[in-house]
Amino acid sequence: MTVKELLELEKFEAVNIADDSRKIIGGYCGDLLSWVMGRAEENNVFVTIMVNVNVIAVASLINVSCVVICENAELSDELITAAKQKGINLIRTPLASFEACAYLSNLI
Amino acid sequence: MSEAINFHYVVDGDDFTSAGEASVDIKRKLRQLGVDPAIIRRVSIAMYEGEVNMVIHAEGGTVDVNVYEDKIEMILSDEGPGIANVELAMKAGFSTAPDYVRSLGFGAGMGLPNMKSYTDGMEIDTKIGVGTTITMVVNLK
């Protein structure tokens, strides 16, 4: 699926979209960023509840398709600004990480 | 050997959230040089882990990236406390990072193991109370 198709789903809200044509070919869920950097792959959806600005740096380095922040965690202006500057697709959902992954895994 | 292209960065030790600026910049520079994206990914991830380490443990430091015809070399130097037990520090899951770092998503003890696994060679030169220099190499061929 693409980021655009993901955003058409009811529970996924666009926070910053740089390129909605990005393909999602898999996913990785985690909050420990070194773990994520070691395991997540390019063109993955990165599912997390971590909302500090390092998430954007990690997303940029791995070149994930998009970041999905779960449980409607509060997003700082700093995080959103970093996503804009680095061209990261940032999406938010009220779903918990487990629910978001279970839901998305059927669609990817 | 032909002359290397050098990029020099100073990593600010005060600002945890800005860690990664050098890695993101080197990613852009290597892309401009036409380096294979898979190589760029390995270099920038290894360097980011190194930068984060320098901010957590050593109040910052410097990074020199030398791009040769056949390899990319990263030299990360700090004047921090040094690593008491390198073998232990290399063990996945071992961390001496303070708790606040874990709340930022780091300190899982994966930094050095990631740096090793993403590069073709890594050397650690460390002295207690003097500092640490880590040299990593990623082959281009």
Side-chain angles (χ1 to χ4, degrees):
Chain A
M1 76 188 306
T2 63
V3 169
K4 186 168 188 280
E5 286 163 342
L6 191 156
L7 287 168
E8 282 161 6
L9 304 172
E10 196 185 334
K11 292 195 165 152
F12 294 83
E13 164 207 0
V15 178
N16 178 66
I17 297 302
D19 178 4
D20 68 2
S21 69
R22 290 283 306 262
K23 283 207 172 71
I24 302 169
I25 59 164
Y28 193 85
C29 174
D31 306 315
L32 289 170
L33 297 179
S34 288
W35 207 272
V36 175
M37 270 195 292
R39 306 293 172 95
E41 289 176 9
E42 205 169 351
N43 299 317
N44 277 185
V45 48
F46 167 24
V47 178
T48 187
I49 52 160
M50 186 60 81
V51 287
N52 75 71
V53 73
N54 301 312
V55 164
I56 301 300
V58 168
S60 167
L61 290 173
I62 307 169
N63 195 21
V64 294
S65 322
C66 59
V67 180
V68 171
I69 305 286
C70 294
E71 313 219 23
N72 274 343
E74 199 173 322
L75 306 177
S76 64
D77 291 341
E78 197 187 6
L79 183 84
I80 296 168
T81 305
K84 281 182 183 151
Q85 282 171 349
K86 297 206 167 83
I88 298 296
N89 294 322
L90 186 63
I91 295 163
R92 188 162 67 165
T93 178
L95 298 174
S97 298
F98 178 81
E99 295 168 329
C101 292
Y103 185 57
L104 291 175
S105 71
N106 286 320
L107 301 168
I108 292 168
Chain B
M1 186 178 286
S2 61
E3 218 171 299
I5 304 169
N6 172 265
F7 301 104
H8 179 77
Y9 299 95
V10 175
V11 178
D12 183 356
D14 297 330
D15 189 0
F16 196 97
T17 55
S18 75
E21 272 172 15
S23 339
V24 171
D25 187 71
I26 202 70
K27 189 182 165 185
R28 192 164 43 231
K29 296 265 168 54
L30 294 177
R31 200 184 289 149
Q32 284 163 3
L33 289 171
V35 175
D36 175 3
I39 299 275
I40 296 177
R41 176 186 151 94
R42 290 169 57 204
V43 168
S44 54
I45 290 176
M47 194 164 137
Y48 185 50
E49 292 283 15
E51 268 191 82
V52 168
N53 276 349
M54 287 198 288
V55 175
I56 296 174
H57 299 287
E59 295 176 359
T62 61
V63 182
D64 279 281
V65 180
N66 299 312
V67 182
Y68 296 93
E69 206 179 320
D70 59 344
K71 65 179 180 185
I72 296 174
E73 177 185 60
M74 292 165 272
I75 303 168
L76 292 82
S77 290
D78 68 58
E79 294 175 359
I83 303 169
N85 186 332
V86 174
E87 201 185 328
L88 200 53
M90 285 302 301
K91 216 173 145 189
F94 177 82
S95 175
T96 59
D99 280 342
Y100 85 93
V101 169
R102 271 178 276 279
S103 72
L104 296 170
F106 289 101
M110 293 302 290
L112 286 171
N114 268 357
M115 287 158 71
K116 190 173 170 62
S117 71
Y118 271 105
T119 54
D120 294 309
M122 178 166 102
E123 273 179 33
I124 302 176
D125 183 9
T126 186
K127 203 167 179 188
I128 296 298
V130 178
T132 300
T133 296
I134 295 184
T135 305
M136 295 182 283
V137 171
V138 173
N139 294 329
L140 287 172
K141 283 171 186 169

